[in-house]
Amino acid sequence: RGAVAAVVAAVAPATARAADAVDYKAVAADVAKIIKSDPDKGPTFLRLAWHSSGDYSKQAQDGGSRGGTIRFKEELAHGGNAGLAKAVKWLEPVKKAHPGASYADIFTLAGVVAVKEANGPIVGWSSGRVDEPVSSVAPDGRLPNADMGSPQKTADHLRDGVFYRMGFDDREIVALSGAHALGRCHPDASGYDGPWTPTPTTLNNGYYSLLLNVEWT
């Protein structure tokens, strides 16, 4: 046991040093370059970060972004993650350029950079997530569905099936829905097509203005 302890003691600091040595400003800059080359990728990176986090369960204490498991085909196959395999692929060159950074850190940081590049606020972020194996992939069915057949059923699904499970209340659900100011619907993801707002690459209050001022039928 003494030999094993010595090996662990020798390896653990080295692993910590490798993570500490990552230049996360450079990682963020590389992600920003991808978005600048194609601004439509920014909202998709934000969706990747959110869906990486959105299967967290407060009750079960599992899921979430901490293990970077959305990189696995098993999690990408979840219904709510349709269309996100391309975002994981876009970030592979960033991972290769910064091998000491975990996928979990890269995916979440990409969401932070996406918000900044969309003229949004600076979001607090810290490194230290450790990639977990495929066995840590959370069960399917924890992410929002686009349509449950009626407004009431969809609202119940969002509350009881998704956000209450993570510990959010109704006010926080509405705040989080503001992310729909960015991006668009994609046929390969939701079956719908078209931008959420007239300014799909700029973070603003347009989404809320539409909800309040447009007559819905």
Side-chain angles (χ1 to χ4, degrees):
R1 289 190 298 179
V4 171
V7 170
V8 171
V11 172
T15 303
R17 285 196 300 272
D20 291 341
V22 176
D23 183 349
Y24 289 99
K25 288 185 178 179
V27 176
D30 285 349
V31 174
K33 287 178 184 177
I34 296 173
I35 297 172
K36 285 181 171 64
S37 68
D38 184 354
D40 285 329
K41 289 183 177 179
T44 305
F45 283 152
L46 181 57
R47 179 171 173 249
L48 175 69
W50 150 233
H51 281 231
S52 177
S53 307
D55 60 5
Y56 170 70
S57 172
K58 185 178 180 181
Q59 292 81 15
Q61 289 293 299
D62 63 3
S65 63
R66 59 192 172 192
T69 53
I70 201 168
R71 70 191 188 278
F72 294 119
K73 67 180 187 299
E74 288 81 0
E75 187 164 334
L76 288 169
H78 291 179
N81 291 331
L84 284 177
K86 59 188 178 186
V88 173
K89 185 177 180 180
W90 295 336
L91 290 170
E92 277 297 331
V94 179
K95 174 64 174 174
K96 289 180 180 179
H98 307 278
S102 66
Y103 279 103
D105 276 348
I106 291 173
F107 295 157
T108 53
L109 183 56
V112 170
V113 174
V115 171
K116 180 182 178 182
E117 291 300 312
N119 295 323
I122 303 298
V123 179
W125 180 89
S126 60
S127 62
R129 297 164 191 78
V130 178
D131 288 335
E132 297 175 0
V134 67
S135 58
S136 296
V137 170
D140 193 4
R142 290 185 175 181
L143 294 169
N145 291 323
D147 188 347
M148 297 299 291
S150 74
Q152 186 59 55
K153 288 181 179 178
T154 302
D156 291 343
H157 162 68
L158 290 175
R159 286 188 171 111
D160 300 322
V162 181
F163 290 103
Y164 287 177
R165 185 197 71 242
M166 290 185 276
F168 292 112
D169 60 25
D170 284 357
R171 183 183 179 90
E172 291 165 326
I173 293 171
V174 173
L176 284 169
S177 74
H180 288 124
L182 292 176
R184 58 185 297 119
C185 300
H186 297 272
D188 65 339
S190 65
Y192 296 95
D193 188 20
W196 291 100
T197 73
T199 55
T201 59
T202 302
L203 189 61
N204 53 43
N205 285 330
Y207 175 76
Y208 295 114
S209 295
L210 288 172
L211 289 179
L212 290 170
N213 298 321
V214 173
E215 183 176 349
W216 299 89
T217 58

